[in-house]
Amino acid sequence: MALVAGVTVSSLAVTALPATAATDPGVTSSEIVLGMQLPQSGPASPGYNKVDDAARAYFDYVNSKGGIYGRKVRLEVRDDQYKAGLTVSSASSLINKDKVFAFIGSIGTQTHISVISDINRRGIPDLFVNSGYSGFYTNPQTYPTTFAGLGTYVVESKIVGKYIKDTYPTKKVGILYQTDDFGRNALQGFTTAGLSFEAKKTAVNFIAGTQGSIGLASQLTALKANGVEIVIIAAVASATAIAVATAAQLGYKPDKWVVTSVGADATTFQTILGSKGVTPAVSAGMLAGIISASHAPSPGDTTDEYVAAFKKINDDFNKGPDKRWDNNVLQGMNIAYMATEALFGTGSNLTRKGIISYIENNGSKMSSAALSPLGYSRTSHEAFTAFWIGAYDGATVLKPITGTRVLYTTDSGTGPVTVSNYMRPALPADAIAKGA
Amino acid sequence: MKKITIRKFIATLGASALIVGGTLTLIPSANAADPVVETTTGKLANGATYLMKVPARFNGTFFIWNHGFRPSYPYPSYTVPAGVEELTPYSVNLKADVTAQMLKAGYGVASYDRVSTGGLHGWNTTDGVEMLKDMVDTAHAKYTTIKKVVVYGSSGAAPVINQFIEKYPDKADAVGLMAGLTTPSAAIQSLCDYFYLLSVFADPTIKGCAAFGVAKGVAGHMAALGEFAKAGALLSGWSKDLGSLPLAYPAPLATSGIPQRSALLLSGLIVGLPTKSAHMDGISTSAVIAEQSINATVAILENSQDALGTGTLAGQAIGEITGPGFYDNTKTDWSALLSAADSGRYNLGLSGDDAIAGMLGVLKMMPRVKGDPAAVAKFKALDKINYTSDKPTILLSNDADRLVFAGNSALYVSNAQASYKARLAKYKAGTGTKPVWNTLALYALTPETYTKYTDKGLPDFTAAPAVSGVGHQSFTEAQMMGWVKLLAQSAKTGKAPSQKFVGSAIFAKIDPNLNTDPDFLPNLLKYKS
């Protein structure tokens, strides 16, 4: 008797325990399917919603040059609106409907934590995640398929923390941070660097996601009341925008604002303030002088060969609704550049295990637009291990703070901060890295 | 037959109504008219009533249904069921079973009231195993055209069926477990944890599982329900203010400003309650209910009523077997029960890292419940099986089942896989028979979004619940009949479909909300034993 129409007894094959597929999903003779999850809409989307179009532009460029061993790269993207519930369902869709070979560049710590275990359980490569939370990368035994696409918040904060300690030894330093993995990671880095804070006086926090509703006035009032002269913000860009605007309303003018790179994205900063009626000229003025750090060249540095090449590819191939060149576009293209390099480097016999092995064994040799080396190895899946420190100018461009860019490096533990002599490999002539 | 609800019971205690949607229907409405040719009723050897129906065009496959746990004693608004109340799988959401459909498909159907000698229900697994055997033998004696027998059931019947098939492997050809409890101690331990956490954060007078089994019979059940009433009062209050008031307990947190709903969310996450419910999808937002703040909390609130209510009665019944003191949390690591993923994902609802650390820190220091070692040992050993059955076994669970969590099915599969591997290793080493992997786990998922909000931005609990994936024993007709037909097919061939089958286009046609990911895993239980 048929079970349902069309099903016969013989089609109900019994296997032993689930066997490994002969070929991995998402790879055919003509195509490689990659997946990305990010907030394309909703309050957390400004700036981030350009990353996928930028990545796709780079892949379209690669495809126009013949693809990767004859395979075209197709990027499938899901909008999770920065809501973890949607991250879970959209990951399921990418895995089961789109049958992606790998995830690349997924954005968001608090959202990615909802899917990282399941993605790893299934053995799906989870490449170049746009989160600096060190807990995802420092122990590959926990998350063997996940690789960072940013420097960790600990690394960045240690480097910036040492700079603050050395440069402003007599100034009172305070921190405003969001109480989640991101904020905790950053706080860890700053304290490891030797900065000390007093809870509720020089260290104030807010629950991530509430910055819009609470306005951060009580936190900034506390810092002001306690004489904080250097204010560190370890939070997302919307919190930075709100904090700076609120401080202005309170008449609070710290000597310096220091903002972690995730929270200092100029596009997001200006877009959020713009939605509150602040003109670009005014928000640019608010951003001017803010100290931050970066692992990449400034997107405005057109003398940089990677910036110049990626900018041209963006101009020619980006079909997104907003392709204005900025940090987010640079990052999106760099993620795609690195993914292409890893896909080439793995070889034409492309497997999930193969690409993971390639990255672990060749991480230090891989190139990217970043000025920092990559830290991928079998014992660490951290990405950029070096940052340079800059300050925003009046045109929202981050410039080296001393005029000369100095790269500093450290680890996500308690290792010292030292100057890095890393020299970034030259960009290939066709802007496509074909393996280390 | 009456439909009894825990809500009515709460009302009799004077507490205000809980959130709509949390009804626990212990006795289903009458079956639809069945186009049968022959009906047989009678009593098993121990006096349990049985009912059998066989269609004129009986195809030889006979299904014997086993209903879930039932309390033994009357209490306000509850009448102990008499006679066969469920003949085939029954959907609480649809208020209907599939008897007519099964008879139309040519299957014979039977069930029995699972009443032990003396007329008591309760936790009577051992009796249930012999009743089921008697039922199978009775069916064969009456209907000599039976070729294949499927034993299937729901919820608390799973331990009966699992023990039955290991003890009497030749008496059935396929096994079906719907929303089945795998290891009672694993499930009840979490329920007891929930009572304990409520006692810490909301009502220090709650004794929870420490009060179960102290007295037996009617008195014991009333005492247990008194504990549930205390929890019910909390749920009632939170349904009005969404837990916005600050914690009053325990004393170290009384001035923390942490809202009560954060403690409720923490408690629900620690015990593994689903963060989706009949009306809360965990995604949809309004100005009042932002997804990453209290959306999951409201889901846990909605799920709590049935979980606590039924768990109370099951816990009391178990306590009468093990003796009082079966719950012990002296070694429980509360921090370990809150996953990093949940801590991160629900950080806002939990009021941030400082609040999480504060609540867990205080929880760690609170006096623990020390059980009676003998009772604890009996509790842990309750209804153990060896997972040695090679009969086709198909499980069906709701991903957001608020009573018997879907992790029970994952635990069954995991234990069965471990047993299979061990037996295979022995076989390859030259001992034992070659084991057969013959298990398939099906999950009904929720639609991605289904929450409705009122004009005031509050969840609309009067709206229709999610069509799939939520509730206990609430499946669509297509899901139930799909499961039935897979069981019939498996009984015939001796082989359950492989897990890969759920990824097939054919399987996808059964019901749009059945999981089609062969590698899908629901949230796992917090305990394995």
Side-chain angles (χ1 to χ4, degrees), chain A residues 180-205:
Chain A
D180 62 2
D181 291 328
F182 166 21
R184 246 186 299 120
N185 233 210
L187 183 63
Q188 177 190 337
F190 286 117
T191 52
T192 302
L195 296 177
S196 58
F197 307 100
E198 200 175 343
K200 297 185 182 173
K201 290 186 177 175
T202 59
V204 294
N205 59 39

Side-chain angles (χ1 to χ4, degrees), chain B residues 45-252:
Chain B
N46 74 335
T49 304
Y50 67 77
L51 171 65
M52 297 191 280
K53 296 190 177 187
V54 172
R57 291 187 181 182
F58 175 45
N59 60 28
T61 299
F62 198 84
F63 282 78
I64 299 178
W65 178 252
N66 299 262
H67 69 68
F69 166 75
R70 299 288 184 266
S72 283
Y73 303 101
Y75 51 83
S77 303
Y78 177 70
T79 301
V80 178
V84 174
E85 38 156 349
E86 284 180 10
L87 182 56
T88 60
Y90 176 85
S91 171
V92 174
N93 256 8
L94 300 176
K95 299 182 179 49
D97 66 9
V98 289
T99 300
Q101 297 89 324
M102 289 181 72
L103 291 169
K104 189 176 173 185
Y107 305 124
V109 296
S111 185
Y112 58 106
D113 65 13
R114 271 194 65 196
V115 173
S116 287
T117 305
L120 293 180
H121 288 88
W123 205 269
N124 59 353
T125 304
T126 305
D127 286 352
V129 171
E130 300 310 318
M131 280 189 261
L132 180 52
K133 174 186 178 291
D134 193 355
M135 185 69 250
V136 172
D137 292 342
T138 301
H140 274 298
K142 175 66 182 175
Y143 297 107
T144 56
T145 52
I146 291 175
K147 294 175 195 161
K148 299 292 179 183
V149 171
V150 177
V151 292
Y152 65 152
S154 71
S155 193
V160 172
I161 297 168
N162 287 332
Q163 289 201 356
F164 167 83
I165 201 63
E166 287 192 357
K167 189 174 181 183
Y168 303 112
D170 296 330
K171 293 283 181 186
D173 301 287
V175 169
L177 305 172
M178 170 193 272
L181 191 63
T182 293
T183 306
S185 59
I188 299 294
Q189 184 78 11
S190 284
L191 163 85
C192 294
D193 284 348
Y194 200 24
F195 269 114
Y196 174 80
L197 293 165
L198 291 177
S199 77
V200 168
F201 292 116
D203 182 357
T205 70
I206 290 176
K207 294 181 196 152
C209 293
F212 297 167
V214 173
K216 291 188 176 183
V218 175
H221 279 69
M222 290 308 296
L225 285 167
E227 292 299 307
F228 172 62
K230 293 179 198 173
L234 293 172
L235 301 178
S236 286
W238 288 330
S239 70
K240 295 194 189 90
D241 62 22
L242 295 180
S244 59
L245 296 176
L247 283 173
Y249 305 100

Side-chain angles (χ1 to χ4, degrees), chain A residues 7 82 89 121-122 179 184, chain B residues 292 347 353 448 517 519:
Chain A
V7 177
Y82 208 73
S89 58
R121 175 179 70 85
R122 296 165 185 267
T179 62
R184 246 186 299 120
Chain B
Q292 285 175 41
N347 199 269
D353 283 358
E448 186 173 76
D517 173 7
D519 294 325

Side-chain angles (χ1 to χ4, degrees), chain B residues 494-506:
Chain B
K495 297 174 184 175
S498 77
Q499 201 66 37
K500 280 186 187 175
F501 174 62
V502 305
S504 69
I506 292 167

Side-chain angles (χ1 to χ4, degrees), chain B residues 221-456:
Chain B
H221 279 69
M222 290 308 296
L225 285 167
E227 292 299 307
F228 172 62
K230 293 179 198 173
L234 293 172
L235 301 178
S236 286
W238 288 330
S239 70
K240 295 194 189 90
D241 62 22
L242 295 180
S244 59
L245 296 176
L247 283 173
Y249 305 100
L253 294 177
T255 55
S256 66
I258 298 172
Q260 292 175 17
R261 61 169 171 253
S262 290
L264 171 64
L265 176 58
L266 177 72
S267 301
L269 293 173
I270 282 176
V271 305
L273 267 168
T275 50
K276 288 185 166 206
S277 65
H279 295 90
M280 305 305 293
D281 57 27
I283 293 173
S284 304
T285 61
S286 73
V288 176
I289 308 285
E291 186 260 352
Q292 285 175 41
S293 67
I294 64 171
N295 189 302
T297 313
V298 180
I300 282 173
L301 182 61
E302 189 174 22
N303 285 332
S304 289
Q305 182 182 355
D306 276 0
L308 288 168
T310 307
T312 294
L313 295 162
Q316 169 63 23
I318 286 173
E320 295 191 10
I321 296 172
T322 64
F326 65 83
Y327 174 61
D328 184 295
N329 68 14
T330 53
K331 294 187 175 61
T332 303
D333 182 350
W334 302 108
S335 295
L337 293 176
L338 178 69
S339 70
D342 281 348
S343 176
R345 178 176 172 178
Y346 301 113
N347 199 269
L348 182 56
L350 292 165
S351 297
D353 283 358
D354 291 348
I356 295 170
M359 288 189 284
L360 288 175
V362 170
L363 186 56
K364 186 179 177 182
M365 306 307 295
M366 295 301 289
R368 300 297 182 102
V369 176
K370 185 167 171 40
D372 177 286
V376 172
K378 285 184 186 171
F379 177 56
K380 297 288 184 194
L382 196 64
D383 297 343
K384 283 267 196 245
I385 60 171
N386 299 310
Y387 299 92
T388 51
S389 170
D390 285 343
K391 290 299 163 83
T393 302
I394 304 178
L395 303 95
L396 174 64
S397 295
N398 271 329
D399 185 37
D401 191 322
R402 59 180 178 254
L403 222 163
V404 177
F405 303 158
N408 277 274
S409 288
L411 180 62
Y412 181 97
V413 172
S414 173
N415 290 344
Q417 283 176 343
S419 169
Y420 169 81
K421 284 181 183 171
R423 286 181 290 135
L424 185 63
K426 281 187 179 170
Y427 170 73
K428 287 181 177 176
T431 59
T433 55
K434 187 176 182 184
V436 177
W437 179 252
N438 221 349
T439 300
L440 170 66
L442 307 178
Y443 297 97
L445 307 180
T446 70
E448 186 173 76
T449 56
Y450 51 89
T451 297
K452 301 277 184 267
Y453 287 97
T454 65
D455 293 341
K456 292 181 181 170

